[in-house]
Amino acid sequence: MPREQLGICAEGNLHSVYLMFNANEGGESQLRPCLANVAQYLYELADQYADSAFNAFVAIGANFWDHLYPGSRPTELKPFPAMESGNRDAPAIEFDIFIHLRCDRLDILHLVANEVNEMLEGLAELEEEERGFRFMDSRDLTGFVDGTENPKGRGRQAVALVGDEDDAFRGGSYIHVQKYVHNLSKWHRLPLKKQEDIIGRTKQDNIEYASEDKPLTAHIKRVNLKYDNGEPMEILRQSMPYGSVKQQGLMFISTCKTPSHFEKMLHSMVFGDGEGHHDHLMHFTQAVTGSSFFAPSLDFMIQFDD
């Protein structure tokens, strides 16, 4: 298996920095080796900052991939699947490059983010920057534990990394990023039981409702999808809360060996089950971005480092 970028399957951290770049026109021939150097550098920093659990990955936008790597393309790579129904909106706002940095020390992240920005100087412009943080015991700002359904141990690689199905891109991962802005004042006015019904779990103890007690509009009901044979459609979530008092929410990040799992989950949230049962959590949070990327293996990227 080619060496995957370490941030794709890493366990959670205390802090994160998300950098979204758009490439300057005509600089692809220089950008390819530059990004290879960035990816290699971030890979090596995982050893240098091992005590702080540093990890990272570089991902290339679906709409930019062919400009950067015209020779081959991941089989299922496509633009973000924008969706809208009623007051539920999942817009597409694409970027060319996504740099995902995480660590248990914010000062190291700040240092590395500046270094990466300098490495890309003249080749790409920083369009968006967001900083995430662990909230309490890995909870979303709604107060509920986030990522409970994530695969564990080696299961993380099995879910997140491309394997035999696309040999040229083994060890890579399809990445979807959405920035959600929460309406917390509206959320906090809800009684506890109403909040729990919307999520499908208890808030304090994080106990999932029994199947028969789960409303069809519960968030968990809408995103825990299965194939016809009963096999779960899993993704590895690398999401973290972000923001200030003025604007705050969740940076939702899905990594998976196929984009179809995320697309089906988002469709289930926005459009529901065909019988009017959409995800009622979307009454309290609004997606303001939606971007599709592919994070290739480190070995794929460093083919282009000269």
Side-chain angles (χ1 to χ4, degrees), residues 16-187:
S16 57
V17 172
Y18 309 107
L19 304 175
M20 302 285 190
F21 293 86
N22 282 333
N24 295 342
E25 208 166 320
E28 290 85 1
S29 61
Q30 293 171 277
L31 188 55
R32 271 189 300 276
C34 179
L35 285 174
N37 290 337
V38 169
Q40 179 72 46
Y41 178 58
L42 295 175
Y43 190 87
E44 291 167 0
L45 286 182
D47 284 336
Q48 183 176 336
Y49 298 128
D51 289 352
S52 307
F54 177 88
N55 63 83
F57 64 78
V58 177
I60 313 304
N63 291 349
F64 184 60
W65 181 276
D66 293 343
H67 296 280
L68 196 63
Y69 303 118
S72 58
R73 183 180 176 89
T75 309
E76 297 185 77
L77 184 59
K78 51 191 157 183
F80 188 87
M83 300 179 194
E84 184 178 0
S85 180
N87 61 355
R88 302 175 300 285
D89 189 15
I93 299 176
E94 302 283 11
F95 297 96
D96 294 343
I97 302 160
F98 174 39
I99 310 284
H100 180 276
L101 307 171
R102 287 199 325 206
C103 189
D104 289 347
R105 279 179 55 182
L106 189 53
D107 56 338
I108 290 171
L109 283 181
H110 187 79
L111 174 73
V112 174
N114 277 295
E115 288 175 343
V116 168
N117 192 44
E118 287 175 14
M119 290 171 82
L120 290 170
E121 194 172 349
L123 297 174
E125 297 299 322
L126 180 61
E127 301 290 344
E128 292 276 343
E129 174 185 354
E130 206 56 76
R131 300 190 172 206
F133 55 91
R134 180 182 293 172
F135 180 63
M136 304 302 181
D137 49 341
S138 298
R139 291 177 185 260
D140 177 53
L141 295 174
T142 57
F144 285 80
V145 175
D146 190 42
T148 305
E149 300 293 325
N150 261 350
K152 306 288 191 288
R154 291 180 184 273
R156 296 168 81 84
Q157 278 85 358
V159 167
L161 301 179
V162 173
D164 295 338
E165 63 271 19
D166 190 0
D167 197 57
F169 291 97
R170 287 171 69 89
S173 187
Y174 293 91
I175 313 292
H176 292 93
V177 182
Q178 290 178 288
K179 180 179 177 179
Y180 280 93
V181 177
H182 292 350
N183 187 337
L184 290 176
S185 60
K186 182 180 177 185
W187 176 256

Side-chain angles (χ1 to χ4, degrees), residues 146-152 201 208 220 224 234-235 237:
D146 190 42
T148 305
E149 300 293 325
N150 261 350
K152 306 288 191 288
R201 290 182 175 278
E208 186 171 339
I220 288 174
N224 285 5
E234 291 186 279
I235 60 172
R237 295 167 176 83

Side-chain angles (χ1 to χ4, degrees), residues 225-236:
L225 306 180
K226 291 182 169 63
Y227 287 101
D228 291 341
N229 65 3
E231 184 184 340
M233 293 185 196
E234 291 186 279
I235 60 172
L236 175 57

Side-chain angles (χ1 to χ4, degrees), residues 183-194:
N183 187 337
L184 290 176
S185 60
K186 182 180 177 185
W187 176 256
H188 289 147
R189 286 196 295 270
L190 290 178
L192 175 61
K193 182 64 167 67
K194 181 71 173 170

